[in-house]
Amino acid sequence: MKYYLVAGEASGDLHGANLMKALKLEDNNAVFRYFGGDKMQAEGGDLVKHYAEMAFMGFTEVVLNLRTIFKNLKKCKADILSWQPDVLILIDFPGFNLKIAEFAKEHNIRVCYYISPKIWAWNQKRVLKIKKVVDHMFCILPFEVNFYKEWGMDVDYVGNPLLDEQAAFLPDPNFIATHHLSDQKIIALLPGSRKQEIERLLPVMLSVTDQFPDYQFAIAAAPTFDENYYHQFTGDKKVSLLFNNTYNLLHHAHAAIVASGTATLETALFKVPQVVVYRGGTISIAIARMLVKIKFISLVNLIVNKKIVTELIQEDCNTQKVTEELQQIVSGAGRNTMLKNYNELLILMGNPGASAKTAKLIYQYS
């Protein structure tokens, strides 16, 4: 069959690639076309647009880039219509993908949505639209099944694809030597993959390095940027810059400072104690605080429904507080408590197999 996938950010590219790999096992004649990234491209098929040209973060950033977003929507719709896929697979990225779902439904194209939009966080009535324009929803968070059921929609819980990625990960035995890392314990810095979040968060992350002379710091760098881009932030600080090595970095890390998002869950799965940070535009945050109805922003805390990791948001995301929280988890009781709580998270997450299960269901439903 012909599968058209739309992923608009780094995490979607990762999950899309794993899903493509699983679909090829179900369907020997699978053909792919997609909006995605390097990982999806490595699985074959035709890349129409790279997610690096699509990811805008926050309310104000979206407004400022509306012309580009509308241009991308127009291109995506026209390309789908021209290619006429057997099934459209939308991966997260709801602001864009729900519009594409509506368009596809109008043209009688079957719509599968992998990784539910976080409609449980705000404006829950969006589920009514989803019921109309999505044929099959595949959820990766346990609590989402009951949420949809309350709105009269049956969905499939497939487990979490990050478990697949972690299970397939093979540590590089030469990682330390290859990247000229010392024998000091490593504190990983994960500032995200979007330009806006890197520029808001990385300077704060780097500002704490002088307070931890007995540790070495390493940045998980996004492949969409080059060394020169990161050097404007690192300056003469002795910080390692590692591209395409996030899992090897987490495998060796003693602790981490992590941008809120998928990376918080990845860090927890590697059992690395972390401090979660987030900074958005002033207007974006003000709007979010009025609309968002959840107690936490990190997936780790949301899944367990209690505070496991500290979240430093907006004005709390500063050198002093990040330093204080990091000191709590590099040693002592705070570190031990977080590691113990991670075990509770792992039980709720379940076993690997999300990509395979989703691929099997998509093939069956189609």
Side-chain angles (χ1 to χ4, degrees):
M1 291 195 302
K2 295 165 67 177
Y3 302 88
Y4 200 111
L5 298 89
V6 183
E9 50 201 347
S11 60
D13 179 36
L14 169 66
H15 302 322
N18 283 335
L19 182 58
M20 288 166 67
K21 193 179 298 181
L23 279 167
K24 284 187 283 188
L25 295 175
E26 292 294 325
D27 182 359
N28 292 330
N29 298 311
V31 182
F32 301 105
R33 192 170 174 84
Y34 45 87
F35 277 43
D38 300 343
K39 289 182 171 62
M40 291 171 72
Q41 196 167 21
E43 292 301 322
D46 297 318
L47 174 66
V48 180
K49 183 168 285 289
H50 199 287
Y51 70 79
E53 302 175 58
M54 299 171 64
F56 301 106
M57 179 183 168
F59 295 99
T60 50
E61 290 80 3
V62 167
V63 171
L64 291 172
N65 290 281
L66 276 176
R67 180 176 292 182
T68 301
I69 292 168
F70 284 131
K71 190 176 178 181
N72 289 339
L73 278 166
K74 185 177 180 180
K75 181 181 180 68
C76 188
K77 290 175 181 178
D79 198 58
I80 289 170
L81 207 56
S82 173
W83 202 59
Q84 284 294 307
D86 295 297
V87 59
L88 172 67
I89 303 171
L90 305 172
I91 304 171
D92 202 358
F93 203 50
F96 189 93
N97 275 340
L98 286 177
K99 292 180 176 62
I100 297 299
E102 189 173 16
F103 171 83
K105 197 66 178 173
E106 289 172 357
H107 291 85
N108 298 312
I109 296 171
R110 183 176 294 276
V111 178
C112 290
Y113 210 119
Y114 182 41
I115 306 177
S116 167
K118 297 174 180 63
I119 54 173
W120 33 265
W122 68 283
N123 193 10
Q124 295 184 355
K125 288 185 178 179
R126 285 181 296 168
V127 73
L128 299 175
K129 178 180 180 180
I130 288 175
K131 286 174 69 174
K132 292 179 181 177
V133 301
V134 173
D135 295 297
H136 301 286
M137 175 67 72
F138 305 104
C139 296
I140 64 168
L141 298 173
F143 60 81
E144 291 176 329
V145 177
N146 286 334
F147 168 79
Y148 276 104
K149 188 174 287 185
E150 289 172 1
W151 286 89
M153 183 176 176
D154 289 327
V155 301
D156 290 293
Y157 174 64
V158 294
N160 199 290
L162 290 181
L163 294 168
D164 298 13
E165 188 70 12
Q166 189 193 33
F169 166 68
L170 295 173
D172 177 2
N174 302 312
F175 174 73
I176 297 294
T178 300
H179 297 282
H180 309 291
L181 298 170
S182 73
D183 57 0
Q184 287 182 312
K185 291 178 179 177
I186 300 170
I187 295 178
L189 305 179
L190 281 71
S193 60
R194 298 186 184 98
K195 189 171 185 285
Q196 292 101 326
E197 61 185 348
I198 293 170
E199 293 178 356
R200 286 176 181 144
L201 296 175
L202 188 53
V204 180
M205 292 179 174
L206 291 168
S207 72
V208 310
T209 57
D210 293 340
Q211 306 301 316
F212 297 87
D214 297 330
Y215 297 85
Q216 60 182 321
F217 287 77
I219 299 170
T224 45
F225 301 97
D226 60 19
E227 288 188 14
N228 289 333
Y229 174 76
Y230 284 97
H231 286 161
Q232 67 180 304
F233 304 107
T234 58
D236 57 0
K237 285 184 178 292
K238 292 182 179 179
V239 179
S240 299
L241 195 59
L242 307 176
F243 290 89
N244 295 311
N245 263 295
T246 301
Y247 278 18
N248 274 304
L249 176 56
L250 289 174
H251 178 71
H252 288 276
H254 181 73
I257 308 171
V258 188
S260 178
T262 306
T264 64
L265 187 52
E266 291 176 304
T267 303
L269 292 177
F270 275 89
K271 296 186 177 180
V272 179
Q274 63 184 298
V275 180
V276 176
V277 294
Y278 181 80
R279 268 187 176 177
T282 304
I283 296 173
S284 297
I285 288 291
I287 294 171
R289 283 175 169 162
M290 287 189 292
L291 297 177
V292 174
K293 305 300 181 186
I294 52 176
K295 293 185 290 184
F296 307 110
I297 63 165
S298 70
L299 286 172
V300 176
N301 292 343
L302 282 166
I303 291 169
V304 185
N305 196 29
K306 72 177 184 182
K307 180 186 172 184
I308 289 182
V309 299
T310 297
E311 302 172 350
L312 298 177
I313 307 169
Q314 212 62 358
E315 60 271 9
D316 289 332
C317 178
N318 59 60
T319 303
Q320 181 182 341
K321 290 200 172 184
V322 174
T323 299
E324 290 171 356
E325 293 300 330
L326 190 57
Q327 286 171 338
Q328 294 293 317
I329 61 170
V330 293
S331 63
R335 178 178 181 83
N336 294 334
T337 299
M338 191 174 294
L339 289 171
K340 182 180 177 182
N341 284 331
Y342 277 169
N343 291 329
E344 186 178 346
L345 171 73
L346 293 172
I347 291 169
L348 288 170
M349 290 288 290
N351 298 315
S355 301
K357 186 173 181 181
T358 304
K360 192 177 293 290
L361 289 170
I362 289 173
Y363 189 64
Q364 288 175 358
Y365 288 148
S366 300

